[in-house]
Amino acid sequence: MRTDSSPGTLPAREHLPAGDAGTPVLDVVIPVYNEEKDLQPCVRRLHEHLTRTFPYAFRITIADNASTDTTPLVAARLEAEIPEVTNFSLEQKGRGRALRTVWSASEAPILAYMDVDLSTDLNALLPLVAPLISGHSDLAIGSRLAPASRVVRGPKRELISRAYNLILRGSLQARFSDAQCGFKAIRRDVAQVLLPLVEDTGWFFDTEMLVLAERAGLRIHEVPVDWVDDPDSTVHIVKTATDDLKGVWRVGKALATGSLPLDRLTRPFGDDPRDRDLTNVPTGLARQLVGFCVVGGLSTLFYLLLYSVFRQFSGSQIANALALLVSAIANTAANRRLTFGVRGRGGAVRHQAQGLVVFGIGLALTSGSLAALNAAGSSPAHSTELAVLIAANLAATVLRFLLFRAWVFPERGESNAGSTVVASHPLSSPTYSTSTPHGTTPPHGTTAPYAPLPQRPVPHPQPYPTATQVRAGEAADGSWRDATMRLQQVRPHDTDPGDPR
């Protein structure tokens, strides 16, 4: 993705190193509002599952959204009884507000959340967070609409869910399959930059976060889940749907106007923490050609329509000039955003001014063609005029692309470009050090070496006496050597015999 400037560009993803430390690797947030009945069995079941199957240190955070029943008392009792459980109370309602608050204050490198009803089978939790720990992905979501998912729910909710995702695909060009499944995770370094851009504090929070992440080019991993609908859900479908549609309109408008600084979320090429020297690699030429051809084809149709309209009340030269001027402004704006990936308003006036110079060249070609046609015949047919203009516009299009690429929207550093493209990025990645104060982040541009990734001691029960060794990757600066972490084999299924689902 091209931008004029990328002051907050994220570093390349790295596999989190293994080791022993006090900071939890995973922080699972459970947002609740008046859930005095379901909270205790949910937390105990989740804690038992993580204790038995998760190979790292973890924490469960209860985010109470201003409950008016005995939910705060239940949460406080769980916090006192279970060391890995913490309680976080908020004075205002809103799932998005709760997630933003807790995630922003957490020091765990992997942040997740799930609904209190535990509709999603917990066997999907480790596959959900594994790509984030390995550095492969930035966000991970559970999907009820993936082909391999198994879902039990009524036709009404099924229809609403699929209709909502079709709306997202049609309006915001979303490519993820399930926006509202209450089963998601995100890397902390991504959350620190992404969450300030998300405005919604309710149910649309998930969708807005995913759309912005996808538009910024971040990698979203989808996990098929087994999911059973909760018949006692307190979600108000009509109000939630109305708020979601308002959110779709707001985000779509912001994306269309380029008012979101998505360049803060860009990743460098490749996931290797070391810089790469890539030889003989074109810098997006093929993609730009495809985008330019699509925009050019639409612009040509728009130009011909305008010319036919203007020709009804003016001469051919005036109609050509007016049609070309209007279509050139639209063409420059479309190529700026779609072909060359320039976001935001910075440099827009300069780009349009340069585009008008390119328009002048195109005007000279097409006007010269019309003049030559009129000189060859006294009154050429309208179809002949259109054929000549199409040929002249094809020649002008090739020249326009070359000028756009080399002059109007040049690649950064292209003036010194040779046959080698260097994908450079900081050698250090965001830190998860236990010495960082709770809820604070290092100053922009400063990093520190990784703290070792906390690993929860795992006993070796008799039925599973062997362990599997997994090699962890080496950091860029060589400050830590390859570590070997021992992962206890676990049972293939997590079935609670006391759970009717």
Side-chain angles (χ1 to χ4, degrees):
M1 179 181 64
R2 287 280 310 279
T3 56
D4 285 339
S5 61
S6 299
T9 299
L10 290 168
R13 307 178 194 93
E14 290 184 358
H15 193 306
L16 301 179
D20 294 322
T23 305
V25 175
L26 174 65
D27 192 349
V28 182
V29 181
I30 304 177
V32 292
Y33 174 74
N34 289 348
E35 298 287 353
E36 59 184 1
K37 176 182 177 182
D38 295 334
L39 180 57
Q40 178 167 313
C42 162
V43 171
R44 292 193 179 279
R45 183 180 172 214
L46 175 59
H47 180 266
E48 186 276 333
H49 174 83
L50 288 171
T51 301
R52 183 166 51 85
T53 66
F54 195 68
Y56 298 110
F58 64 87
R59 179 171 60 226
I60 301 172
T61 302
I62 303 170
D64 178 27
N65 298 320
S67 295
T68 57
D69 61 0
T70 61
T71 297
L73 299 178
V74 177
R77 184 168 63 250
L78 290 169
E79 181 180 29
E81 296 176 357
I82 306 176
E84 291 84 4
V85 174
T86 61
N87 180 26
F88 202 106
S89 298
L90 294 92
E91 297 181 355
Q92 293 178 291
K93 291 178 58 178
R95 182 178 69 173
R97 178 181 289 107
L99 293 177
R100 186 206 314 276
T101 303
V102 177
W103 281 355
S104 299
S106 178
E107 72 279 10
I110 306 300
L111 310 168
Y113 95 90
M114 61 182 61
D115 292 335
V116 69
D117 55 17
L118 293 187
S119 294
T120 304
D121 181 45
L122 292 178
N123 280 323
L125 182 55
L126 186 55
L128 182 80
V129 301
L132 307 187
I133 295 175
S134 70
H136 174 271
S137 302
D138 300 295
L139 299 92
I141 64 175
S143 175
R144 299 164 295 185
L145 302 180
S149 299
R150 295 182 297 178
V151 176
V152 178
R153 62 177 167 183
K156 179 180 179 180
R157 285 183 175 270
E158 180 76 11
L159 177 62
I160 292 174
S161 178
R162 293 188 178 275
Y164 179 64
N165 283 281
L166 285 176
I167 292 174
L168 294 181
R169 289 176 177 269
S171 59
L172 299 179
Q173 289 78 52
R175 294 188 296 273
F176 48 85
S177 63
D178 192 349
Q180 290 287 24
C181 180
F183 197 72
K184 295 181 176 67
I186 185 173
R187 286 176 64 102
R188 177 175 174 261
D189 57 342
V190 176
Q192 288 176 335
V193 185
L194 176 59
L195 294 185
L197 303 181
V198 181
E199 294 184 14
D200 192 80
T201 59
W203 292 95
F204 188 70
F205 174 88
D206 302 51
T207 302
E208 185 172 358
M209 178 180 67
L210 292 174
V211 169
L212 298 187
E214 188 176 69
R215 286 298 186 94
L218 298 181
R219 184 175 293 161
I220 301 175
H221 177 74
E222 295 198 14
V223 178
V225 297
D226 296 339
W227 193 86
V228 180
D229 187 18
D230 179 13
D232 298 325
S233 175
T234 58
V235 178
H236 300 287
I237 296 179
V238 175
K239 183 180 185 304
T240 300
T242 303
D243 293 341
D244 287 346
L245 292 177
K246 292 179 181 178
V248 169
W249 170 259
R250 174 176 55 79
V251 172
K253 181 180 178 181
L255 292 173
T257 58
S259 59
L260 291 170
L262 298 181
D263 52 349
R264 299 178 184 175
L265 298 168
T266 55
R267 288 282 195 192
F269 180 85
D271 296 340
D272 193 328
R274 295 162 293 189
D275 288 348
R276 296 183 183 185
D277 290 338
L278 307 174
T279 59
N280 301 321
V281 177
T283 56
L285 176 60
R287 180 188 60 78
Q288 291 176 356
L289 276 173
V290 172
F292 185 82
C293 289
V294 172
V295 173
L298 296 176
S299 297
T300 300
L301 295 176
F302 185 49
Y303 160 79
L304 294 175
L305 176 63
L306 291 176
Y307 177 81
S308 299
V309 173
F310 294 148
R311 191 67 175 84
Q312 301 297 321
F313 53 83
S314 63
S316 61
Q317 293 288 1
I318 296 178
N320 173 64
L322 291 175
L324 198 58
L325 175 62
V326 176
S327 62
I329 294 175
N331 180 276
T332 300
N335 276 306
R336 180 180 187 270
R337 173 64 179 82
L338 301 177
T339 303
F340 298 97
V342 179
R343 304 178 186 273
R345 298 186 177 91
V349 176
R350 174 175 58 83
H351 293 154
Q352 283 292 350
Q354 292 172 312
L356 290 177
V357 174
V358 178
F359 149 77
I361 298 174
L363 177 62
L365 283 174
T366 54
S367 297
S369 301
L370 284 176
L373 179 64
N374 290 327
S378 56
S379 56
H382 182 65
S383 58
T384 304
E385 285 185 351
L386 290 180
V388 171
L389 287 174
I390 291 174
N393 267 285
L394 288 176
T397 298
V398 175
L399 182 59
R400 186 183 305 120
F401 176 75
L402 296 176
L403 290 174
F404 272 176
R405 180 174 169 81
W407 180 47
V408 183
F409 308 109
E411 292 279 354
R412 294 192 300 274
E414 191 165 311
S415 58
N416 299 325
S419 60
T420 301
V421 179
V422 179
S424 60
H425 52 78
L427 291 179
S428 299
S429 294
T431 65
Y432 307 106
S433 173
T434 55
S435 60
T436 303
H438 184 72
T440 63
T441 58
H444 176 69
T446 63
T447 56
Y450 265 123
L453 194 65
Q455 184 174 2
R456 180 178 54 81
V458 180
H460 299 281
Q462 291 298 325
Y464 306 99
T466 60
T468 302
Q469 292 188 351
V470 180
R471 299 290 292 175
E474 183 178 1
D477 57 4
S479 58
W480 57 279
R481 294 176 296 177
D482 281 355
T484 301
M485 57 186 177
R486 303 180 64 84
L487 304 183
Q488 179 65 41
Q489 293 180 346
V490 299
R491 297 180 177 86
H493 301 288
D494 174 41
T495 304
D496 187 351
D499 187 355
R501 294 177 295 185

